[in-house]
Structures are given as structure tokens and as C-alpha cells.
Amino acid sequence: ATMASATPPVTLASRAELIPLRLNETERSLLRVLEGALSVSEYTDKVDVISFRYNRGSRVQEQLEELLATISGLTIASSYKGAALASFDRIADNAEFFRRIFEIGRRYKIMNPDKMRSTYGKLMYILQDAVMADARSYLSFNCLRQVLNVKDELEDLGCTDLLTDADCADAVMPLRPGESPARKE
């Protein structure tokens, strides 16, 4: 028995858990808001400096508040639908919105590793700091949520039987450059 024969075959269902869902038009506009807020943010410049005036926790809190306010402001300015954010008094009132926008940024980077080169690292530092106990108690919500994937979307639509359909497996099979798909007769 060779090592290859002992390895179970990769199924479409197992691959679907790892394939992020493509962004829709609304999510693309939110991605632009996130990228804009990250590009003007001085989060890492202000949080990772040695200061005797403030402890690191208070600097993280201050910069998170500033970033979330910037995201809210850019969302309101970019869309009349974003004006609904203005009715909330506390950051935690928009918790689901912030989770969504951060998930969109993470999902986009997974699908496009060559994009967001200058802002993704900053996003990761922000999210790492945001899940620390003192930041979570200040925000009163968790900024993370699971990255949306193809399998979850098919489950929501009630179409998981597609994952076991032989024609679907053939339709999504990767092709190498210059290779043409084998046709069933």
C-alpha cells in the first residue's frame, strides 16, 4: 500500500468548507470602506509605541474607537443606506455590522492573496488586539465571525445535494493551462 492510496480522496463537500464565498456588490462597497479606513488609520503607529503617558490597553481602546468611528463615517458618507448607522449611540449597537465588514476583508484577502498588501497586516493587528479581554470588555462585542464559505451558503439555500452531484464535481474541476475538459458522452 502506497501513501497515496491510504489518503482518502478530497471530495467537493470537504473542499466547499474551505472555499470562501465571492463578494457581492454591497460587500464590495463595504470592502472599499474598510480599505479606506485602514489606509488612513494610524493604529499600529500609535498602539505599538512606548509611551509613559498611557498604558497599551488605553491606546488600543482609543485607536479601536477611532477606527470604528472612521468606518461608520465612511459608510454613512458612501451610501444613503449607511445613514441607518447614525441612529445608534453606542459602538456595540453596530456590532453585527463591524463583524460583517471585518469578515469581508478577511474573506477578500483569502480569495485574493496578492491584494490588500499594505492594509491587511494592520487589519490583523487590530483584530488580534480587539479579541483581547480588555478590548472586548470595552467594545462589549467580539469583532470576529466565521468567514462565509460555499458549503454554508449551500446549506442556507438547501442545496447541499449539489456537493455530491457527479456533474457538479466535473464542472468545478481545476484545469491546467492548455488542458481541455474531458467530455462525457
Side-chain angles (χ1 to χ4, degrees):
T2 65
M3 185 66 147
S5 64
T7 307
V10 177
T11 63
L12 187 57
S14 64
R15 284 180 41 214
E17 290 180 42
L18 304 174
I19 301 171
L21 205 57
R22 287 183 53 129
L23 301 183
N24 61 34
E25 187 177 333
T26 303
E27 291 171 333
R28 287 188 185 281
S29 66
L30 290 174
L31 175 66
R32 286 191 294 277
V33 166
L34 176 64
E35 286 182 309
L38 289 171
S39 67
V40 299
S41 171
E42 296 177 339
Y43 184 87
T44 51
D45 299 336
K46 292 187 176 179
V47 168
D48 293 334
V49 296
I50 297 174
S51 174
F52 298 106
R53 201 168 66 171
Y54 300 113
N55 67 15
R56 188 173 191 284
S58 62
R59 289 193 312 266
V60 166
Q61 180 178 333
E62 181 181 309
Q63 290 304 306
L64 280 173
E65 184 177 331
E66 188 175 305
L67 176 72
L68 297 178
T70 302
I71 290 172
S72 298
L74 288 173
T75 303
I76 292 167
S78 70
S79 166
Y80 69 91
K81 293 177 187 172
L85 288 174
S87 65
F88 296 112
D89 295 330
R90 297 175 333 127
I91 290 174
D93 293 338
N94 293 318
E96 186 53 38
F97 169 75
F98 292 122
R99 277 192 285 272
R100 180 177 182 213
I101 201 165
F102 292 139
E103 182 274 333
I104 289 168
R106 292 169 46 227
R107 183 165 24 123
Y108 180 75
K109 180 63 174 179
I110 293 168
M111 293 185 306
N112 302 283
D114 58 325
K115 306 288 185 189
M116 291 181 74
R117 289 188 180 262
S118 61
T119 54
Y120 188 72
K122 191 182 296 184
L123 175 62
M124 290 297 97
Y125 285 124
I126 291 165
L127 292 177
Q128 286 174 3
D129 289 344
V131 297
M132 292 187 324
D134 55 343
R136 281 179 64 178
S137 66
Y138 161 71
L139 293 174
S140 67
F141 69 92
N142 185 353
C143 289
L144 297 179
R145 78 175 194 188
Q146 181 179 335
V147 172
L148 297 178
N149 61 48
V150 171
K151 184 177 181 196
D152 293 338
E153 183 69 9
L154 289 174
E155 286 174 353
D156 289 346
L157 297 172
C159 299
T160 53
D161 54 332
L162 282 174
L163 297 173
T164 57
D165 187 325
D167 291 335
C168 188
D170 289 340
V172 299
M173 181 178 59
L175 297 177
R176 290 169 181 60
E179 184 179 18
S180 61
R183 299 193 185 252
K184 289 186 177 180
E185 307 235 356

